[in-house]
Amino acid sequence: MRKEFAILQTCLQTAGQIARRHLGKVNYRLKSKANLVTQADVACQKAMLQIIRANFPQHDFLAEENGLKNTGSPWRWVIDPIDGTTNFAHTMPHFSISVALACKNDIVLGGVYDVCTDELFLARKGKGATLNGKKIHVSTVNKLQDALLVTGFPYEREKQINELLALFKNFILSCHDIRRLGSAALDLCWVAAGRFDGYWEKDLNPWDVCAGKLILEEAGGKITDYRGKKWQTLSLFGRQILASNGKIHREMCDIIKEGSLSHTAAARTRRPAARV
Ligand code: IPD
Ligand code: CA
Ligand code: CA
């Protein structure tokens, strides 16, 4: 996998340079009410797909900005050209490039590059995870009450806003604090590096999380769906993510369960009584 790993890093560096050049000169269009896309997203993706096509013409890929090649190859690159586009478009220096390589449904390589801090997170399956060449490991915090958490909110949020806020409320009353930084790939990497202890978010896509998942697991962390069940890597369904250092995972699952029960009960009492 030496060549694949080198190409993955070339992709990240090349896209990083493009993003840096575009930063501050951003014009965007909307994919939906709150979902932005910039010229930089498209240019970064184009450059990375060119590199991949030139080096691995047989490989498939799945990239966020309408980049799909699906010939049935066991090898598939999963790419988010800019993760944190809303930050990028507002010149907030917190966004990343995320690239993973999967063999069948197994992620074997993952890399996330934080362009503004020049932090490069890398992982190879079974070989650990690194940040700028140094091994990283999840935190040792073992109680939710001592944890710093991170989360994100889906773009399609209107219909589920009460449910999202109910969960946020339950978490913020149970831990040290919560951050919302705006790049799911970096959220996962920051749990991997022990900066956060846990992360939850729903309605994510494979390109947001594939690289970060491997980095987190290789750093000793755990990633599941909201019920604590195995997370289906490349499926577009069941897109909830619960990630942690492993030690507070059960407590986080319990909070989510309580949150959804109290939300369902509140929704029931809000509903007008049926006519008799
Ligand atoms: C988004 C970011 C954000 C998360 C959103 C994602 P994008 O990706 O990861 O943190 O909350 O759900 O869609 O659109 O910037 O690539
Ligand atoms: Ca993304
Ligand atoms: Ca993106």
Side-chain angles (χ1 to χ4, degrees):
M1 301 293 297
R2 214 175 264 173
K3 181 174 173 195
E4 287 84 349
F5 199 41
I7 292 299
L8 178 143
Q9 292 176 63
T10 306
C11 285
L12 294 173
Q13 296 297 347
T14 306
Q17 282 165 11
I18 296 171
R20 226 174 267 126
R21 278 205 301 274
H22 279 76
L23 188 60
K25 305 173 216 144
V26 168
N27 45 35
Y28 61 82
R29 66 177 172 80
L30 290 172
K31 293 198 265 189
S32 63
K33 192 175 168 191
N35 191 354
L36 282 52
V37 60
T38 71
Q39 284 170 353
D41 292 80
V42 177
C44 288
Q45 178 167 310
K46 192 172 165 204
M48 289 192 280
L49 291 184
Q50 246 162 23
I51 295 170
I52 289 166
R53 277 198 194 96
N55 286 280
F56 303 106
Q58 318 291 353
H59 287 191
D60 283 349
F61 49 76
L62 171 65
E64 181 177 8
E65 310 306 339
N66 299 318
L68 178 66
K69 181 179 168 207
N70 191 4
T71 63
S73 161
W75 298 99
R76 184 164 11 167
W77 295 82
V78 186
I79 296 175
D80 195 338
I82 296 186
D83 184 55
T85 295
T86 307
N87 286 344
F88 181 80
H90 289 266
T91 65
M92 178 172 153
H94 187 81
F95 56 88
S96 61
I97 322 284
S98 174
V99 178
L101 176 63
C103 180
K104 299 196 177 135
N105 268 343
D106 230 18
I107 306 164
V108 289
L109 299 177
V112 175
Y113 181 46
D114 183 332
V115 178
C116 295
T117 59
D118 200 25
E119 287 195 323
L120 176 63
F121 295 88
L122 292 171
R124 281 177 295 165
K125 181 123 199 203
K127 298 263 166 39
T130 57
L131 164 53
N132 289 350
K134 294 206 176 102
K135 279 248 169 321
I136 50 171
H137 210 273
V138 290
S139 71
T140 54
V141 167
N142 59 13
K143 287 196 201 99
L144 186 56
Q145 66 185 38
D146 299 328
L148 180 61
L149 305 179
V150 64
T151 189
F153 296 96
Y155 292 125
E156 309 310 321
R157 53 188 69 141
E158 280 172 21
K159 287 197 184 123
Q160 43 180 345
I161 194 67
N162 290 330
E163 185 192 339
L164 296 168
L165 294 180
L167 197 49
F168 190 91
K169 179 176 148 195
N170 283 9
F171 270 123
I172 204 159
L173 294 174
S174 314
C175 65
H176 273 171
D177 215 332
I178 301 175
R179 303 286 178 259
R180 195 293 191 239
L181 298 183
S183 164
L186 286 176
D187 293 340
L188 286 166
C189 291
W190 284 31
V191 179
R195 295 171 183 174
F196 290 125
D197 309 299
Y199 164 56
W200 83 96
E201 184 164 352
K202 67 181 295 208
D203 296 355
L204 289 163
N205 288 300
W207 47 80
D208 299 310
V209 283
C210 276
K213 175 184 189 280
L214 182 66
I215 293 164
L216 175 70
E217 287 178 338
E218 287 296 321
K222 184 166 179 175
I223 180 164
T224 66
D225 68 12
Y226 278 5
R227 291 172 309 152
K229 299 267 180 319
K230 191 173 181 307
W231 182 65
Q232 296 303 320
T233 306
L234 288 168
S235 151
L236 285 171
F237 303 100
R239 301 180 301 167
Q240 329 152 325
I241 296 278
L242 174 58
S244 78
N245 63 5
K247 297 175 187 67
I248 59 165
H249 212 85
R250 178 48 36 214
E251 271 189 280
M252 287 188 77
C253 277
D254 291 345
I255 292 283
I256 290 175
K257 201 165 155 194
E258 280 166 33
S260 61
L261 289 178
S262 61
H263 167 72
T264 316
R268 253 190 227 122
T269 51
R270 272 198 306 273
R271 223 172 275 151
R275 286 211 200 128
V276 279

